[in-house]
Amino acid sequence: MEPTLSLHHPVPALPSQGLIAVIAPAGPAPLDTEKAIQWMRARGHDLRIFPGVYEKNGYLAGSDETRLNDLHAAFADPEVKAIICLRGGYGTPRLLDRIDFELLRRNPKPFVGYSDITALHLAISRYAGFVTFHGPLLNADLLGDKDPSTVTSFFSLLRGQLRAGSVLSHPAAYPLTTVAPGIACGRLLGGNLSMIAATMATPYEIEAEGVILLVEDINEPLYRIDRLLTQLRLAGTLAKLRGVLVGDIAGVDVEALNKLFKQTFEPFGIPVLSGWRSGHCDPNLTLPMGALVTLDAGEKRLVLEQDVVVSR
């Protein structure tokens, strides 16, 4: 019998007119403030833009202190109902050992991002225990005129339109591939493969027991994807998984990539579904990190097994 998994706590749903915070915990990017404000207001939301969004410290958006203060302030602000990150890049791992996880635990709210933001998803999962969202960044995705399903997926999850038992939809225009058939139930966790590997042997590494692993990446050739997966295999991480959901791995031949995933995971006998449009891609679909899901790789379905947001 498989061990019972402790559920990550749902977060309060984003109200129809809830205030959304923008922070930049990783890299810098120029923001068209007026465009961002108008885009959100057209969808019922005002923005609160935190100071680090307008700063640039080399490859970082402001100093570590600024970025950390913005993260803490956004969670502590009772008027803020959700937090979205400006961009990825690099910078979030520098903050992990200074985060006040008790503050976050007392003030759970939807937190959204991907790529380098994976480090924060893993840390919040481990030390605060509530659901976060692997989903669009403000600049590259929401303001980037991506496929409408990017926006639909984002708001439907954050506003609570998808509940326990819901099938997470995937655009028919982007066929999924069953790399290894099977059905598994577990907590969905992961994100950027390079970041998952970078946090190994730290207090913030992925807690892989009973997990459906999401992986995505960009600018990594096939041999580096192989090397990252091999690192996780040798660390014993892959043996703990219940299933794998392969998101977008940009720039890699899909057939060769699926062959690598088949070779890697076949010894573990777990389901693997490839081609999910999450990551550095268009559309970029939102996924609930830490939530209990069922992956049916043969039927190419992902089903929520718990509510990820609750009414305020």
Side-chain angles (χ1 to χ4, degrees):
M1 179 179 294
E2 293 182 335
T4 301
L5 291 176
S6 59
L7 294 183
H8 276 40
H9 298 295
V11 291
L14 172 66
S16 58
Q17 295 184 319
L19 179 69
I20 297 177
V22 183
I23 63 172
L31 176 65
D32 185 334
T33 303
E34 186 59 27
K35 180 180 179 181
I37 290 173
Q38 292 304 319
W39 192 95
M40 280 295 181
R41 281 184 178 167
R43 290 155 182 83
H45 302 280
D46 284 329
L47 285 182
R48 179 159 296 166
I49 301 172
F50 282 75
V53 168
Y54 296 113
E55 295 192 18
K56 185 176 186 299
N57 182 15
Y59 49 80
L60 302 171
S63 66
D64 289 349
E65 289 72 21
T66 295
R67 292 178 292 112
L68 181 68
N69 289 342
D70 284 357
L71 176 71
H72 284 157
F75 270 102
D77 189 335
E79 294 184 347
V80 169
K81 305 307 180 185
I83 303 168
I84 187 169
C85 297
L86 177 69
R87 65 158 292 189
Y90 173 72
T92 59
R94 295 169 60 109
L95 308 180
L96 297 183
D97 59 348
R98 300 168 60 188
I99 293 174
D100 183 348
F101 289 104
E102 180 55 36
L103 182 151
L104 272 58
R105 194 180 300 113
R106 293 195 308 268
N107 299 279
K109 58 191 68 175
F111 174 80
V112 189
Y114 69 101
S115 195
D116 190 72
I117 310 304
T118 295
L120 289 174
H121 289 309
L122 295 178
I124 292 171
S125 172
R126 185 162 194 153
Y127 293 108
F130 57 80
V131 172
T132 59
F133 297 89
H134 184 281
L137 299 166
L138 181 63
N139 250 22
D141 298 286
L142 295 186
L143 302 183
D145 296 322
K146 289 200 170 181
D147 186 278
S149 59
T150 297
V151 177
T152 301
S153 173
F154 172 77
F155 282 118
S156 62
L157 272 171
L158 268 63
R159 290 173 175 168
Q161 294 164 4
L162 297 177
R163 310 301 295 266
S166 297
V167 177
L168 294 178
S169 63
H170 193 273
Y174 302 93
L176 297 165
T177 300
T178 301
V179 175
I183 302 173
C185 183
R187 284 188 296 109
L188 183 65
L189 199 58
N192 182 260
L193 181 58
S194 297
M195 190 55 60
I196 294 169
T199 53
M200 294 301 295
T202 76
Y204 311 98
E205 70 179 21
I206 188 168
E207 291 186 296
E209 192 68 49
V211 157
I212 307 293
L213 179 69
L214 168 70
V215 293
E216 65 85 25
D217 220 315
I218 187 172
N219 296 332
E220 297 289 355
L222 187 64
Y223 79 90
R224 290 186 186 174
I225 299 298
D226 188 344
R227 184 168 65 196
L228 293 165
L229 291 171
T230 299
Q231 179 185 355
L232 296 180
R233 179 178 63 81
L234 294 176
T237 301
L238 302 188
K240 300 175 183 178
L241 301 176
R242 292 188 181 173
V244 180
L245 181 66
V246 184
D248 187 69
I249 299 185
V252 177
D253 176 76
V254 173
E255 186 175 344
L257 180 69
N258 287 338
K259 181 180 179 181
L260 172 61
F261 273 90
K262 183 176 179 62
Q263 291 173 338
T264 301
F265 288 100
E266 199 167 41
F268 302 107
I270 59 176
V272 180
L273 181 63
S274 177
W276 198 273
R277 301 295 289 180
S278 289
H280 301 80
C281 55
D282 181 14
N284 179 11
L285 306 177
T286 301
L287 289 167
M289 297 291 93
L292 193 65
V293 300
T294 292
L295 173 67
D296 186 334
E299 292 297 323
K300 303 175 183 177
R301 293 200 317 163
L302 190 66
V303 181
L304 277 178
E305 299 294 351
Q306 69 165 101
D307 291 344
V308 294
V309 302
V310 291
S311 299
R312 293 176 182 266

Short mmCIF file of all heavy atoms in Angstrom, two decimals, residues 121-179:
data_model
loop_
_atom_site.label_atom_id
_atom_site.label_comp_id
_atom_site.label_asym_id
_atom_site.label_seq_id
_atom_site.Cartn_x
_atom_site.Cartn_y
_atom_site.Cartn_z
N HIS A 121 9.13 28.03 -5.17
CA HIS A 121 8.07 27.00 -5.08
C HIS A 121 8.53 25.84 -4.19
O HIS A 121 7.78 25.37 -3.33
CB HIS A 121 7.73 26.46 -6.47
CG HIS A 121 6.98 27.44 -7.33
ND1 HIS A 121 5.86 28.11 -6.92
CD2 HIS A 121 7.21 27.83 -8.62
CE1 HIS A 121 5.41 28.89 -7.90
NE2 HIS A 121 6.21 28.74 -8.94
N LEU A 122 9.75 25.37 -4.40
CA LEU A 122 10.25 24.24 -3.62
C LEU A 122 10.39 24.61 -2.14
O LEU A 122 10.03 23.82 -1.26
CB LEU A 122 11.62 23.79 -4.17
CG LEU A 122 11.63 23.22 -5.59
CD1 LEU A 122 13.05 22.87 -6.00
CD2 LEU A 122 10.72 22.01 -5.71
N ALA A 123 10.88 25.81 -1.88
CA ALA A 123 11.10 26.23 -0.49
C ALA A 123 9.77 26.46 0.23
O ALA A 123 9.60 26.07 1.39
CB ALA A 123 11.95 27.50 -0.46
N ILE A 124 8.82 27.11 -0.43
CA ILE A 124 7.51 27.35 0.19
C ILE A 124 6.80 26.02 0.43
O ILE A 124 6.17 25.82 1.48
CB ILE A 124 6.67 28.29 -0.68
CG1 ILE A 124 7.28 29.69 -0.69
CG2 ILE A 124 5.23 28.35 -0.18
CD1 ILE A 124 6.65 30.64 -1.68
N SER A 125 6.90 25.11 -0.52
CA SER A 125 6.31 23.79 -0.34
C SER A 125 6.85 23.11 0.91
O SER A 125 6.09 22.55 1.71
CB SER A 125 6.59 22.92 -1.57
OG SER A 125 6.20 21.59 -1.34
N ARG A 126 8.14 23.20 1.08
CA ARG A 126 8.79 22.47 2.18
C ARG A 126 8.59 23.13 3.53
O ARG A 126 8.36 22.44 4.54
CB ARG A 126 10.28 22.35 1.88
CG ARG A 126 11.05 21.51 2.88
CD ARG A 126 12.38 21.06 2.33
NE ARG A 126 12.96 20.01 3.15
CZ ARG A 126 13.80 19.09 2.69
NH1 ARG A 126 14.14 19.07 1.43
NH2 ARG A 126 14.28 18.17 3.50
N TYR A 127 8.63 24.45 3.58
CA TYR A 127 8.67 25.13 4.87
C TYR A 127 7.42 25.95 5.20
O TYR A 127 7.27 26.39 6.34
CB TYR A 127 9.90 26.03 4.95
CG TYR A 127 11.18 25.23 4.95
CD1 TYR A 127 12.01 25.21 3.84
CD2 TYR A 127 11.53 24.45 6.05
CE1 TYR A 127 13.18 24.45 3.83
CE2 TYR A 127 12.69 23.69 6.06
CZ TYR A 127 13.52 23.69 4.95
OH TYR A 127 14.65 22.93 4.94
N ALA A 128 6.53 26.16 4.23
CA ALA A 128 5.28 26.86 4.54
C ALA A 128 4.07 25.97 4.29
O ALA A 128 3.03 26.17 4.90
CB ALA A 128 5.17 28.15 3.73
N GLY A 129 4.19 25.00 3.38
CA GLY A 129 3.17 23.96 3.24
C GLY A 129 1.87 24.38 2.59
O GLY A 129 0.84 23.75 2.83
N PHE A 130 1.90 25.41 1.74
CA PHE A 130 0.68 25.74 1.01
C PHE A 130 0.92 25.69 -0.49
O PHE A 130 2.05 25.72 -0.96
CB PHE A 130 0.08 27.09 1.44
CG PHE A 130 0.99 28.29 1.31
CD1 PHE A 130 1.19 28.92 0.09
CD2 PHE A 130 1.60 28.83 2.43
CE1 PHE A 130 2.00 30.04 -0.03
CE2 PHE A 130 2.41 29.95 2.33
CZ PHE A 130 2.61 30.56 1.10
N VAL A 131 -0.16 25.58 -1.23
CA VAL A 131 -0.10 25.46 -2.68
C VAL A 131 0.38 26.76 -3.31
O VAL A 131 -0.06 27.85 -2.92
CB VAL A 131 -1.48 25.09 -3.25
CG1 VAL A 131 -1.48 25.14 -4.77
CG2 VAL A 131 -1.91 23.71 -2.77
N THR A 132 1.32 26.66 -4.26
CA THR A 132 1.74 27.79 -5.07
C THR A 132 1.45 27.46 -6.54
O THR A 132 0.98 26.36 -6.84
CB THR A 132 3.23 28.12 -4.87
OG1 THR A 132 4.01 26.95 -5.22
CG2 THR A 132 3.52 28.50 -3.42
N PHE A 133 1.77 28.38 -7.44
CA PHE A 133 1.35 28.18 -8.82
C PHE A 133 2.50 28.39 -9.80
O PHE A 133 3.09 29.48 -9.86
CB PHE A 133 0.18 29.11 -9.16
CG PHE A 133 -1.04 28.81 -8.34
CD1 PHE A 133 -1.23 29.42 -7.11
CD2 PHE A 133 -1.97 27.88 -8.77
CE1 PHE A 133 -2.34 29.12 -6.33
CE2 PHE A 133 -3.08 27.57 -8.00
CZ PHE A 133 -3.26 28.19 -6.77
N HIS A 134 2.83 27.31 -10.51
CA HIS A 134 3.81 27.38 -11.60
C HIS A 134 3.05 27.95 -12.79
O HIS A 134 2.26 27.26 -13.43
CB HIS A 134 4.32 25.98 -11.91
CG HIS A 134 5.40 25.91 -12.95
ND1 HIS A 134 5.14 25.99 -14.31
CD2 HIS A 134 6.74 25.78 -12.83
CE1 HIS A 134 6.26 25.89 -14.97
NE2 HIS A 134 7.25 25.76 -14.10
N GLY A 135 3.26 29.24 -13.04
CA GLY A 135 2.45 29.89 -14.05
C GLY A 135 3.09 31.14 -14.59
O GLY A 135 4.27 31.42 -14.34
N PRO A 136 2.34 31.93 -15.33
CA PRO A 136 2.90 33.02 -16.12
C PRO A 136 3.59 34.09 -15.31
O PRO A 136 3.19 34.42 -14.19
CB PRO A 136 1.69 33.59 -16.86
CG PRO A 136 0.51 33.15 -16.06
CD PRO A 136 0.88 31.83 -15.47
N LEU A 137 4.64 34.65 -15.90
CA LEU A 137 5.30 35.85 -15.39
C LEU A 137 4.60 37.06 -16.01
O LEU A 137 3.97 36.96 -17.07
CB LEU A 137 6.78 35.84 -15.76
CG LEU A 137 7.57 34.66 -15.19
CD1 LEU A 137 8.92 34.53 -15.88
CD2 LEU A 137 7.76 34.80 -13.68
N LEU A 138 4.71 38.19 -15.33
CA LEU A 138 3.99 39.36 -15.83
C LEU A 138 4.51 39.80 -17.19
O LEU A 138 3.73 39.95 -18.14
CB LEU A 138 4.11 40.51 -14.82
CG LEU A 138 3.37 41.78 -15.23
CD1 LEU A 138 1.88 41.55 -15.33
CD2 LEU A 138 3.68 42.92 -14.26
N ASN A 139 5.82 40.00 -17.30
CA ASN A 139 6.36 40.57 -18.54
C ASN A 139 6.26 39.63 -19.73
O ASN A 139 5.67 39.94 -20.75
CB ASN A 139 7.82 40.98 -18.32
CG ASN A 139 7.99 42.49 -18.31
OD1 ASN A 139 7.04 43.22 -18.07
ND2 ASN A 139 9.18 42.96 -18.59
N ALA A 140 6.86 38.46 -19.60
CA ALA A 140 7.01 37.56 -20.75
C ALA A 140 5.70 36.92 -21.18
O ALA A 140 5.53 36.60 -22.35
CB ALA A 140 8.03 36.47 -20.42
N ASP A 141 4.78 36.75 -20.24
CA ASP A 141 3.58 35.95 -20.53
C ASP A 141 2.30 36.78 -20.59
O ASP A 141 1.68 36.89 -21.63
CB ASP A 141 3.45 34.84 -19.49
CG ASP A 141 4.63 33.89 -19.52
OD1 ASP A 141 4.71 33.08 -20.45
OD2 ASP A 141 5.49 33.96 -18.61
N LEU A 142 1.92 37.38 -19.46
CA LEU A 142 0.65 38.09 -19.43
C LEU A 142 0.66 39.32 -20.32
O LEU A 142 -0.33 39.64 -20.99
CB LEU A 142 0.28 38.46 -18.00
CG LEU A 142 0.01 37.27 -17.06
CD1 LEU A 142 -0.48 37.77 -15.71
CD2 LEU A 142 -0.99 36.28 -17.66
N LEU A 143 1.79 40.03 -20.36
CA LEU A 143 1.90 41.22 -21.21
C LEU A 143 2.49 40.88 -22.57
O LEU A 143 2.69 41.76 -23.40
CB LEU A 143 2.76 42.29 -20.54
CG LEU A 143 2.27 42.78 -19.17
CD1 LEU A 143 3.17 43.90 -18.66
CD2 LEU A 143 0.82 43.23 -19.21
N GLY A 144 2.76 39.60 -22.79
CA GLY A 144 3.41 39.18 -24.03
C GLY A 144 2.48 38.69 -25.11
O GLY A 144 2.92 38.07 -26.08
N ASP A 145 1.18 38.93 -24.93
CA ASP A 145 0.18 38.56 -25.95
C ASP A 145 0.25 37.08 -26.31
O ASP A 145 0.20 36.71 -27.48
CB ASP A 145 0.35 39.42 -27.20
CG ASP A 145 0.08 40.89 -26.92
OD1 ASP A 145 -0.83 41.17 -26.13
OD2 ASP A 145 0.79 41.75 -27.47
N LYS A 146 0.36 36.23 -25.31
CA LYS A 146 0.40 34.79 -25.56
C LYS A 146 -1.01 34.26 -25.80
O LYS A 146 -2.00 34.97 -25.66
CB LYS A 146 1.08 34.08 -24.39
CG LYS A 146 2.59 34.34 -24.34
CD LYS A 146 3.32 33.30 -23.54
CE LYS A 146 4.83 33.47 -23.72
NZ LYS A 146 5.59 32.45 -22.98
N ASP A 147 -1.07 32.99 -26.18
CA ASP A 147 -2.33 32.32 -26.46
C ASP A 147 -3.32 32.57 -25.32
O ASP A 147 -2.93 32.57 -24.14
CB ASP A 147 -2.06 30.82 -26.61
CG ASP A 147 -3.28 30.06 -27.04
OD1 ASP A 147 -4.11 29.73 -26.16
OD2 ASP A 147 -3.41 29.79 -28.24
N PRO A 148 -4.61 32.80 -25.64
CA PRO A 148 -5.60 33.09 -24.60
C PRO A 148 -5.68 32.05 -23.49
O PRO A 148 -6.07 32.37 -22.37
CB PRO A 148 -6.92 33.18 -25.38
CG PRO A 148 -6.51 33.57 -26.76
CD PRO A 148 -5.18 32.92 -27.00
N SER A 149 -5.32 30.80 -23.79
CA SER A 149 -5.39 29.77 -22.76
C SER A 149 -4.40 30.02 -21.63
O SER A 149 -4.59 29.54 -20.51
CB SER A 149 -5.15 28.38 -23.35
OG SER A 149 -3.89 28.29 -23.98
N THR A 150 -3.35 30.81 -21.87
CA THR A 150 -2.43 31.20 -20.81
C THR A 150 -3.17 31.98 -19.74
O THR A 150 -3.04 31.72 -18.53
CB THR A 150 -1.28 32.07 -21.37
OG1 THR A 150 -0.51 31.28 -22.29
CG2 THR A 150 -0.36 32.56 -20.26
N VAL A 151 -3.97 32.94 -20.18
CA VAL A 151 -4.72 33.79 -19.25
C VAL A 151 -5.88 33.02 -18.63
O VAL A 151 -6.13 33.12 -17.42
CB VAL A 151 -5.23 35.05 -19.98
CG1 VAL A 151 -6.07 35.91 -19.04
CG2 VAL A 151 -4.06 35.86 -20.54
N THR A 152 -6.58 32.24 -19.43
CA THR A 152 -7.71 31.46 -18.92
C THR A 152 -7.27 30.50 -17.82
O THR A 152 -7.92 30.39 -16.76
CB THR A 152 -8.37 30.67 -20.06
OG1 THR A 152 -8.81 31.58 -21.06
CG2 THR A 152 -9.55 29.86 -19.54
N SER A 153 -6.17 29.79 -18.06
CA SER A 153 -5.65 28.84 -17.09
C SER A 153 -5.25 29.54 -15.79
O SER A 153 -5.54 29.07 -14.68
CB SER A 153 -4.45 28.10 -17.70
OG SER A 153 -3.81 27.28 -16.75
N PHE A 154 -4.61 30.68 -15.92
CA PHE A 154 -4.15 31.47 -14.77
C PHE A 154 -5.32 31.87 -13.88
O PHE A 154 -5.35 31.58 -12.67
CB PHE A 154 -3.41 32.70 -15.31
CG PHE A 154 -3.02 33.73 -14.28
CD1 PHE A 154 -1.94 33.53 -13.45
CD2 PHE A 154 -3.73 34.92 -14.17
CE1 PHE A 154 -1.57 34.49 -12.52
CE2 PHE A 154 -3.36 35.89 -13.25
CZ PHE A 154 -2.28 35.67 -12.41
N PHE A 155 -6.31 32.52 -14.46
CA PHE A 155 -7.41 33.03 -13.65
C PHE A 155 -8.35 31.93 -13.17
O PHE A 155 -8.90 32.00 -12.06
CB PHE A 155 -8.20 34.09 -14.42
CG PHE A 155 -7.52 35.43 -14.44
CD1 PHE A 155 -7.11 36.01 -15.64
CD2 PHE A 155 -7.28 36.13 -13.27
CE1 PHE A 155 -6.49 37.25 -15.66
CE2 PHE A 155 -6.65 37.37 -13.27
CZ PHE A 155 -6.26 37.94 -14.47
N SER A 156 -8.55 30.88 -13.95
CA SER A 156 -9.47 29.82 -13.52
C SER A 156 -8.96 29.11 -12.28
O SER A 156 -9.75 28.75 -11.39
CB SER A 156 -9.71 28.82 -14.65
OG SER A 156 -8.52 28.17 -15.03
N LEU A 157 -7.65 28.93 -12.17
CA LEU A 157 -7.10 28.30 -10.97
C LEU A 157 -7.09 29.26 -9.79
O LEU A 157 -7.50 28.91 -8.69
CB LEU A 157 -5.68 27.79 -11.24
CG LEU A 157 -5.58 26.37 -11.80
CD1 LEU A 157 -4.16 26.06 -12.23
CD2 LEU A 157 -6.03 25.34 -10.75
N LEU A 158 -6.63 30.49 -10.00
CA LEU A 158 -6.51 31.42 -8.89
C LEU A 158 -7.86 31.85 -8.34
O LEU A 158 -7.98 32.14 -7.15
CB LEU A 158 -5.68 32.65 -9.29
CG LEU A 158 -4.18 32.56 -9.00
CD1 LEU A 158 -3.53 31.44 -9.80
CD2 LEU A 158 -3.48 33.89 -9.29
N ARG A 159 -8.86 31.91 -9.20
CA ARG A 159 -10.19 32.35 -8.75
C ARG A 159 -11.05 31.21 -8.23
O ARG A 159 -12.17 31.43 -7.78
CB ARG A 159 -10.91 33.06 -9.89
CG ARG A 159 -10.30 34.42 -10.24
CD ARG A 159 -10.94 35.01 -11.48
NE ARG A 159 -10.46 36.36 -11.76
CZ ARG A 159 -10.67 37.01 -12.90
NH1 ARG A 159 -11.36 36.42 -13.88
NH2 ARG A 159 -10.21 38.23 -13.08
N GLY A 160 -10.55 29.98 -8.30
CA GLY A 160 -11.28 28.85 -7.73
C GLY A 160 -12.33 28.26 -8.63
O GLY A 160 -13.24 27.56 -8.17
N GLN A 161 -12.21 28.48 -9.94
CA GLN A 161 -13.18 27.90 -10.87
C GLN A 161 -12.92 26.41 -11.10
O GLN A 161 -13.79 25.70 -11.61
CB GLN A 161 -13.13 28.67 -12.18
CG GLN A 161 -13.60 30.12 -12.04
CD GLN A 161 -13.20 30.99 -13.21
OE1 GLN A 161 -12.64 30.51 -14.19
NE2 GLN A 161 -13.47 32.28 -13.11
N LEU A 162 -11.73 25.95 -10.75
CA LEU A 162 -11.40 24.52 -10.83
C LEU A 162 -11.27 23.97 -9.42
O LEU A 162 -10.47 24.46 -8.63
CB LEU A 162 -10.09 24.32 -11.61
CG LEU A 162 -10.09 24.77 -13.07
CD1 LEU A 162 -8.71 24.57 -13.69
CD2 LEU A 162 -11.13 24.00 -13.86
N ARG A 163 -12.05 22.95 -9.12
CA ARG A 163 -12.08 22.38 -7.78
C ARG A 163 -11.63 20.93 -7.83
O ARG A 163 -11.30 20.39 -8.88
CB ARG A 163 -13.50 22.48 -7.19
CG ARG A 163 -14.13 23.86 -7.29
CD ARG A 163 -13.33 24.93 -6.57
NE ARG A 163 -13.27 24.73 -5.15
CZ ARG A 163 -14.11 25.28 -4.27
NH1 ARG A 163 -15.10 26.07 -4.70
NH2 ARG A 163 -13.99 25.06 -2.97
N ALA A 164 -11.63 20.29 -6.67
CA ALA A 164 -11.28 18.87 -6.61
C ALA A 164 -12.16 18.07 -7.57
O ALA A 164 -13.37 18.25 -7.61
CB ALA A 164 -11.45 18.35 -5.18
N GLY A 165 -11.53 17.22 -8.38
CA GLY A 165 -12.23 16.44 -9.38
C GLY A 165 -12.17 17.03 -10.77
O GLY A 165 -12.54 16.36 -11.74
N SER A 166 -11.69 18.28 -10.88
CA SER A 166 -11.60 18.93 -12.20
C SER A 166 -10.44 18.36 -13.00
O SER A 166 -9.36 18.10 -12.47
CB SER A 166 -11.40 20.44 -12.04
OG SER A 166 -12.49 21.05 -11.41
N VAL A 167 -10.68 18.20 -14.30
CA VAL A 167 -9.60 17.84 -15.21
C VAL A 167 -8.95 19.12 -15.70
O VAL A 167 -9.64 20.04 -16.15
CB VAL A 167 -10.14 17.04 -16.43
CG1 VAL A 167 -9.02 16.75 -17.42
CG2 VAL A 167 -10.81 15.76 -15.96
N LEU A 168 -7.62 19.21 -15.57
CA LEU A 168 -6.90 20.38 -16.06
C LEU A 168 -6.84 20.31 -17.58
O LEU A 168 -6.28 19.35 -18.14
CB LEU A 168 -5.50 20.44 -15.46
CG LEU A 168 -5.47 20.66 -13.94
CD1 LEU A 168 -4.03 20.66 -13.44
CD2 LEU A 168 -6.15 21.96 -13.55
N SER A 169 -7.41 21.29 -18.23
CA SER A 169 -7.52 21.24 -19.68
C SER A 169 -6.19 21.53 -20.35
O SER A 169 -5.33 22.24 -19.80
CB SER A 169 -8.58 22.23 -20.17
OG SER A 169 -8.20 23.56 -19.86
N HIS A 170 -6.02 20.97 -21.53
CA HIS A 170 -4.81 21.17 -22.33
C HIS A 170 -5.24 21.40 -23.77
O HIS A 170 -6.07 20.65 -24.29
CB HIS A 170 -3.88 19.95 -22.23
CG HIS A 170 -2.51 20.20 -22.76
ND1 HIS A 170 -2.17 20.04 -24.09
CD2 HIS A 170 -1.40 20.66 -22.15
CE1 HIS A 170 -0.91 20.35 -24.25
NE2 HIS A 170 -0.41 20.74 -23.10
N PRO A 171 -4.72 22.44 -24.43
CA PRO A 171 -5.18 22.76 -25.78
C PRO A 171 -4.98 21.60 -26.75
O PRO A 171 -3.90 21.03 -26.85
CB PRO A 171 -4.31 23.96 -26.18
CG PRO A 171 -3.82 24.53 -24.90
CD PRO A 171 -3.68 23.37 -23.96
N ALA A 172 -6.05 21.29 -27.50
CA ALA A 172 -5.98 20.18 -28.45
C ALA A 172 -4.97 20.43 -29.56
O ALA A 172 -4.48 19.48 -30.19
CB ALA A 172 -7.37 19.95 -29.05
N ALA A 173 -4.64 21.68 -29.79
CA ALA A 173 -3.68 22.02 -30.85
C ALA A 173 -2.27 21.57 -30.51
O ALA A 173 -1.40 21.55 -31.39
CB ALA A 173 -3.69 23.53 -31.09
N TYR A 174 -2.04 21.18 -29.25
CA TYR A 174 -0.71 20.76 -28.82
C TYR A 174 -0.80 19.35 -28.26
O TYR A 174 -1.02 19.15 -27.05
CB TYR A 174 -0.15 21.73 -27.76
CG TYR A 174 -0.09 23.15 -28.27
CD1 TYR A 174 -1.14 24.04 -28.05
CD2 TYR A 174 1.02 23.60 -28.98
CE1 TYR A 174 -1.09 25.34 -28.53
CE2 TYR A 174 1.08 24.90 -29.46
CZ TYR A 174 0.03 25.76 -29.23
OH TYR A 174 0.08 27.04 -29.70
N PRO A 175 -0.66 18.33 -29.11
CA PRO A 175 -0.85 16.94 -28.67
C PRO A 175 0.17 16.53 -27.61
O PRO A 175 1.34 16.90 -27.66
CB PRO A 175 -0.66 16.13 -29.95
CG PRO A 175 -0.63 17.09 -31.08
CD PRO A 175 -0.33 18.43 -30.53
N LEU A 176 -0.33 15.75 -26.66
CA LEU A 176 0.52 15.18 -25.62
C LEU A 176 1.02 13.81 -26.05
O LEU A 176 0.41 13.15 -26.90
CB LEU A 176 -0.27 15.07 -24.32
CG LEU A 176 -0.74 16.40 -23.73
CD1 LEU A 176 -1.81 16.17 -22.67
CD2 LEU A 176 0.43 17.18 -23.16
N THR A 177 2.13 13.37 -25.45
CA THR A 177 2.73 12.08 -25.80
C THR A 177 2.84 11.21 -24.56
O THR A 177 3.41 11.64 -23.54
CB THR A 177 4.13 12.26 -26.41
OG1 THR A 177 4.02 13.04 -27.60
CG2 THR A 177 4.76 10.91 -26.73
N THR A 178 2.30 10.01 -24.62
CA THR A 178 2.47 9.04 -23.55
C THR A 178 3.84 8.39 -23.70
O THR A 178 4.04 7.55 -24.58
CB THR A 178 1.37 7.97 -23.58
OG1 THR A 178 0.10 8.60 -23.45
CG2 THR A 178 1.56 6.95 -22.46
N VAL A 179 4.78 8.78 -22.86
CA VAL A 179 6.12 8.18 -22.88
C VAL A 179 6.10 6.83 -22.18
O VAL A 179 6.74 5.88 -22.62
CB VAL A 179 7.15 9.14 -22.23
CG1 VAL A 179 8.52 8.48 -22.13
CG2 VAL A 179 7.23 10.44 -23.02
#
